[in-house]
């Protein structure tokens, strides 16, 4: 992949995970067939977040805006353009989530939802078996990359860079524990 970054950690992440130029190519090619299905999947995703008592408070009053930003984010994944600006967009998502105090647990769970929900959409809409396999692999690598970039912002916050106390971050990260 054309990750044009000076960030050695990010380079290592992409190298070890296998992100490459072919991922960029396959995502650009299959994107137009997948993107029209993104709004329905997003509706389903936000139904789950609304139904869950723990996530609903973060969604209420912001549903339409959040759906729109989520659809735009997913479309971006299929753009095939993973440059510095793409990386910066993921980092900004991390910063916003830290700012509005969304526990990283919920971001991880959302990524998990997408890792399960998107491959069947690709399978149904990419007729060539070889392309389908490559597209699913590229998508999973990209979701991992996004999660890594978002998680790093939580880690920054843990170091108190964004003005959130370490104690609060620890509480957010251990929401499920008694
Ligand atoms: C795959 C996981 C997720 C992605 C990719 C994602 C993406 C985004 C994006 C693109 C924004 C806009 C950022 C900006 O303003 O620049 C945003 C904001 C936000 N997200 Fe998420 N999100 C995810 C999961 C969640 C979850 C699980 C929750 C809540 C439980 C959540 C709650 C919010 C809230 C409250 C905002 C701020 C909205 C505002 O500005 O009022 N997000 N998210």
């Amino acid at each position: 992949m054309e990750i044009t970054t000076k960030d050695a950690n990010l380079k290592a992440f992409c190298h070890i995970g296998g992100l490459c130029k072919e991922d960029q190519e396959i995502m650009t090619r299959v994107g137009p067939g997948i993107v029209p299905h993104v709004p329905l999947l997003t509706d389903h995703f936000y139904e789950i977040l609304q139904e869950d008592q723990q996530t609903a408070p973060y969604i209420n009053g912001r549903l339409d805006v959040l759906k729109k930003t989520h659809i735009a984010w997913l479309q971006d994944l299929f753009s095939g353009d993973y440059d510095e600006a793409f990386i910066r967009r993921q980092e900004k998502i991390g910063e916003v989530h830290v700012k509005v105090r969304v526990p990283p647990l919920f971001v991880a769970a959302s990524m998990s939802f997408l890792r399960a929900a998107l491959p069947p959409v690709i399978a149904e809409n990419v007729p060539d078996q070889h392309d389908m396999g490559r597209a699913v692999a590229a998508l999973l690598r990209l979701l991992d990359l996004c999660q890594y970039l978002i998680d790093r912002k939580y880690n920054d916050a843990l170091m108190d860079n964004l003005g959130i106390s370490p104690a609060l971050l620890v509480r957010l990260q251990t929401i499920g524990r008694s």
Side-chain angles (χ1 to χ4, degrees):
M1 178 174 298
E2 296 295 282
I3 292 256
T4 46
T5 177
K6 295 183 185 78
D7 182 330
N9 293 327
L10 200 48
K11 274 187 186 165
F13 182 94
C14 295
H15 177 66
I16 294 166
L19 272 172
C20 62
K21 214 170 177 179
E22 284 73 42
D23 290 323
Q24 200 167 345
E25 183 275 324
I26 191 69
M27 291 299 266
T28 313
R29 196 143 50 79
V30 305
I34 307 302
V35 163
H37 301 277
V38 161
L40 193 63
L41 185 135
T42 301
D43 283 346
H44 181 42
F45 173 57
Y46 278 93
E47 272 168 28
I48 295 170
L49 292 182
Q50 278 182 295
E51 280 166 10
D52 189 304
Q53 283 183 353
Q54 294 181 99
T55 48
Y58 296 93
I59 306 302
N60 291 341
R62 296 160 154 150
L63 184 61
D64 290 342
V65 175
L66 283 174
K67 273 189 186 178
K68 273 189 197 135
T69 52
H70 201 263
I71 288 169
W73 173 75
L74 276 173
Q75 286 174 343
D76 200 18
L77 291 189
F78 287 93
S79 72
D81 199 359
Y82 313 114
D83 54 6
E84 285 281 2
F86 175 85
I87 292 164
R88 183 66 202 118
R89 284 195 289 279
Q90 310 316 310
E91 291 176 336
K92 176 143 183 277
I93 292 171
E95 287 163 10
V96 170
H97 286 92
V98 170
K99 203 171 156 199
V100 295
R101 312 259 203 280
V102 171
L105 161 69
F106 298 144
V107 176
S110 306
M111 293 294 184
S112 179
F113 169 89
L114 293 168
R115 285 187 193 98
L118 274 167
V121 178
I122 293 177
E124 275 167 33
N125 294 284
V126 179
D128 181 272
Q129 287 284 308
H130 183 61
D131 279 354
M132 185 184 85
R134 287 177 57 214
V136 169
L139 169 81
L140 295 178
R141 288 188 188 111
L142 279 165
L143 290 175
D144 289 340
L145 173 67
C146 292
Q147 189 173 351
Y148 170 65
L149 291 167
I150 293 170
D151 277 349
R152 284 209 305 197
K153 290 298 166 187
Y154 282 104
N155 291 337
D156 286 351
L158 198 52
M159 306 296 210
D160 221 4
N161 286 349
L162 293 175
I164 292 188
S165 78
L168 172 59
L169 247 293
V170 168
R171 274 212 306 284
L172 290 175
Q173 285 177 313
T174 54
I175 193 164
R177 291 191 197 162
S178 54

